Amino acid sequence: MRQDLKGQLILTIMFIVLGMLGLSLFLSHALIGRKFRDYIVEEEQRKTRNIAASLSQYYTALTRRWDTDLVHAVGMYALYDGYIIKVFDINGLPVWDAENHDMTLCYQIMAEISERMQKRYPQIDGKFISHDYGITQDGRKVGSVTIRYFGPYFLSESDFRFLDALNGSLLAAGLVSLAFAIAAGVFLARRIARPISAVIHITRQISQGNYAIRFEGRTRTQELDELVSAVNHLAGSLSEQENLRKRLTSDIAHELRTPLTTMGAHLEAMIEGVWQPTPERLQSCHEEAVRLGKLVADLERLEREESGSLKLNKTPVDLLELLRSVSANLEIDMRGKGLRCTVEGEPAGVFADRDRISQVAVNLLSNALKYTPENGHIRLSVKDSVKTAAFTVSNSGAGIPADELPFIFERFYRADKSRNRKTGGAGIGLAIVKSIVMAHGGTVNVESRPGQGSSFTVTLPK
Ligand code: ADP
């Protein structure tokens, strides 16, 4: 049978507590019972010895007489204690006999003791037994006493009261701790089960597409807190993915629609003879087609990088040498725009995928080329340190507004859409940079001051 977590916890705790309680009750009962019996047996022996000893005081050797009044007093005292005595003198003649003195009382007391003991301790199968003890005075035997009592041992009424009180308090202590244990179990179970139920509810909601749901508050249990924050995180990243997916689709549609419409309209006009198919017009259509081809290629590359399906082909790479060759490839473009480009720093070796890191440098440098105004300056620098190596691509120019900085690494993000459409970017270059750098376990940071320019720093582990 399947039970809920709360029920299981409460049942388990109750089971453990009941077991412990039963065990401790049993042990204490058995231990105390045995010790108490030992004590009672000892007490009996002490009493019988006492009776014989005190009787010896009431014999006067000189007159050879017993003080029968005092012997009677000892006898009655012993009788009320459950000891029926018979005192004999040295010749075996009776001096005092409890049964002779008051037979009814003797039988009444014996019956009471037997009944009590049979009722409470039927297993010991006790009965009245007699023992003879010598009565001595100054080492000389002066008589004897026969003592009858319930054997092997018996408990007086006050002994029974004491035992009952002891058992009662043990039971009470047990019940109180059981109540505490149940309360603690319920409390603990609630504390654990409640957040778990909440997490179940939240994950169900997430599976139905409600990504905005979050678990609020803390649980006061470390593992549950971790579970809850993992679920919250899951909801967060699913919602991000969902947004990204939606945006990606609409962005791609948007990116493709404008050039396709323009191209379609131009071609239609030329087919219908409205426009002459001049080389310039065909050239313009061709440029759009090339741009679309580039966009699709970029998308493909980004998809490959982000899915992580391609393995990194790592080899030792010198960042300084890599930057020099990348900047040399773009030199003609830079010169065309009147840009000054400097490469500085020390050789810095990393273990990386050369082609991919080249791609990173090309993307950053092409951006610098695009966004640096004419006659501006591009600076490439390399920095080597113990565990990492870094390179920075800085350029002069308008810079990126601070509120745009957090988004520029996102796909299709363009700081200034109208300006950038002219520069030809689709907002994918930096997303590719980020994917490649992250695949290498590195980081990419951007700093920018409006009016002064921007600088992108890529740090890679060695
Ligand atoms: P794009 O293809 O539009 O250049 P990127 O992903 O490479 O896409 O860059 C995203 C946006 O970040 C750009 O549209 C641009 O607004 C901004 N950006 C990137 N690099 C620079 C830079 N060096 N100077 C100024 N703005 C930049």
Side-chain angles (χ1 to χ4, degrees):
M1 195 180 71
R2 283 216 311 213
Q3 256 184 346
D4 65 350
L5 179 67
K6 199 163 109 188
Q8 271 187 31
L9 273 173
I10 294 178
L11 261 184
T12 312
I13 292 175
M14 266 177 61
F15 187 70
I16 292 173
V17 168
L18 274 178
M20 301 230 324
L21 197 70
L23 192 69
S24 59
L25 267 179
F26 171 75
L27 280 180
S28 63
H29 190 72
L31 278 180
I32 292 176
R34 176 157 354 123
K35 285 271 165 232
F36 195 68
R37 260 195 315 275
D38 292 350
Y39 162 77
I40 294 285
V41 170
E42 255 173 48
E43 192 66 358
E44 263 173 11
Q45 286 168 358
R46 195 181 60 77
K47 273 186 184 155
T48 47
R49 272 199 311 273
N50 264 0
I51 291 171
S54 54
L55 282 173
S56 74
Q57 295 168 22
Y58 307 132
Y59 175 74
T60 316
L62 213 59
T63 55
R64 294 191 178 180
R65 292 183 72 93
W66 291 85
D67 185 335
T68 39
D69 282 350
L70 289 172
V71 170
H72 168 75
V74 171
M76 289 310 283
Y77 189 76
L79 180 60
Y80 285 116
D81 252 2
Y83 298 88
I84 293 113
I85 68 168
K86 251 185 215 170
V87 185
F88 300 96
D89 68 7
I90 191 71
N91 299 318
L93 296 172
V95 177
W96 191 84
D97 183 348
E99 275 176 69
N100 266 356
H101 178 75
D102 191 340
M103 195 191 276
T104 333
L105 183 63
C106 281
Y107 284 153
Q108 191 191 332
I109 288 175
M110 283 163 76
E112 271 173 20
I113 292 176
S114 293
E115 194 190 319
R116 242 184 0 235
M117 289 303 290
Q118 290 294 353
K119 207 166 99 193
R120 294 287 287 263
Y121 293 97
Q123 77 278 13
I124 66 168
D125 195 21
K127 56 180 177 300
F128 272 86
I129 47 174
S130 303
H131 273 290
D132 291 337
Y133 299 88
I135 304 174
T136 52
Q137 202 178 56
D138 301 330
R140 266 191 316 134
K141 189 171 177 187
V142 294
S144 65
V145 56
T146 304
I147 306 179
R148 275 181 85 191
Y149 59 89
F150 194 88
Y153 60 86
F154 73 98
L155 275 67
S156 69
E157 226 168 314
S158 58
D159 291 337
F160 275 121
R161 272 202 300 276
F162 169 75
L163 272 189
D164 286 346
L166 194 70
N167 285 338
S169 47
L170 270 179
L171 196 68
L175 287 179
V176 169
S177 42
L178 183 67
F180 267 115
I182 291 174
V186 171
F187 175 72
L188 191 72
R190 276 210 187 141
R191 211 160 110 171
I192 295 176
R194 238 190 229 163
I196 289 185
S197 304
V199 167
I200 292 171
H201 172 72
I202 290 176
T203 42
R204 279 216 184 104
Q205 290 284 314
I206 292 175
S207 72
Q208 285 163 13
N210 177 7
Y211 302 134
I213 194 164
R214 296 284 184 281
F215 184 93
E216 306 290 347
R218 294 176 64 86
T219 64
R220 283 191 285 176
T221 308
Q222 196 192 333
E223 285 80 359
L224 288 178
D225 263 350
E226 279 167 22
L227 174 69
V228 159
S229 79
V231 169
N232 281 347
H233 188 77
L234 174 73
S237 50
L238 280 175
S239 130
E240 243 170 57
Q241 286 296 317
E242 174 76 359
N243 287 341
L244 210 63
R245 193 182 60 76
K246 281 186 190 152
R247 235 191 52 215
L248 196 64
T249 320
S250 77
D251 282 348
I252 293 176
H254 179 82
E255 287 300 323
L256 296 180
R257 195 186 309 116
T258 320
L260 280 176
T261 318
T262 326
M263 220 160 57
H266 287 187
L267 288 173
E268 199 182 342
M270 286 188 255
I271 291 166
E272 286 177 356
V274 182
W275 269 8
Q276 285 301 311
T278 59
E280 293 80 45
R281 285 178 177 148
L282 289 173
Q283 174 71 25
S284 151
C285 284
H286 179 248
E287 270 170 21
E288 282 295 275
V290 167
R291 210 173 74 78
L292 284 175
K294 245 181 78 190
L295 172 64
V296 173
D298 273 355
L299 274 174
E300 269 172 356
R301 190 177 298 141
L302 178 65
E303 201 278 324
R304 244 181 323 175
E305 297 299 347
E306 287 193 340
S307 68
S309 57
L310 285 187
K311 275 193 147 185
L312 295 177
N313 180 18
K314 286 187 177 178
T315 50
V317 178
D318 176 12
L319 292 180
L320 187 66
E321 186 267 317
L322 182 138
L323 281 189
R324 283 209 173 109
S325 84
V326 169
S327 69
N329 284 343
L330 288 170
E331 212 180 323
I332 300 173
D333 297 310
M334 289 197 255
R335 243 191 247 153
K337 226 177 153 185
L339 301 181
R340 208 154 36 92
C341 180
T342 52
V343 183
E344 54 196 53
E346 51 203 332
V350 286
F351 195 61
D353 187 323
R354 189 183 167 90
D355 288 346
R356 296 243 166 71
I357 299 300
S358 287
Q359 179 74 51
V360 169
V362 167
N363 286 11
L364 292 177
L365 206 59
S366 330
N367 277 353
L369 189 64
K370 269 191 280 182
Y371 302 113
T372 313
E374 282 182 17
N375 303 320
H377 181 204
I378 298 175
R379 222 181 102 227
L380 305 175
S381 62
V382 181
K383 199 160 181 277
D384 195 21
S385 66
V386 187
K387 286 188 178 154
T388 56
F391 68 88
T392 303
V393 180
S394 315
N395 66 298
S396 60
I400 308 163
D403 55 341
E404 311 257 7
L405 279 181
F407 308 109
I408 57 168
F409 290 98
E410 285 180 19
R411 293 178 256 194
F412 295 111
Y413 189 86
R414 291 182 303 215
D416 177 345
K417 302 223 171 204
S418 58
R419 184 191 69 179
N420 280 290
R421 189 171 288 284
K422 271 183 249 139
T423 58
I428 297 176
L430 286 181
I432 293 179
V433 165
K434 193 177 172 192
S435 292
I436 295 178
V437 173
M438 287 206 346
H440 280 83
T443 54
V444 50
N445 291 309
V446 55
E447 277 175 36
S448 185
R449 289 221 190 116
Q452 292 189 14
S454 326
S455 81
F456 290 80
T457 302
V458 172
T459 310
L460 296 168
K462 283 196 164 173

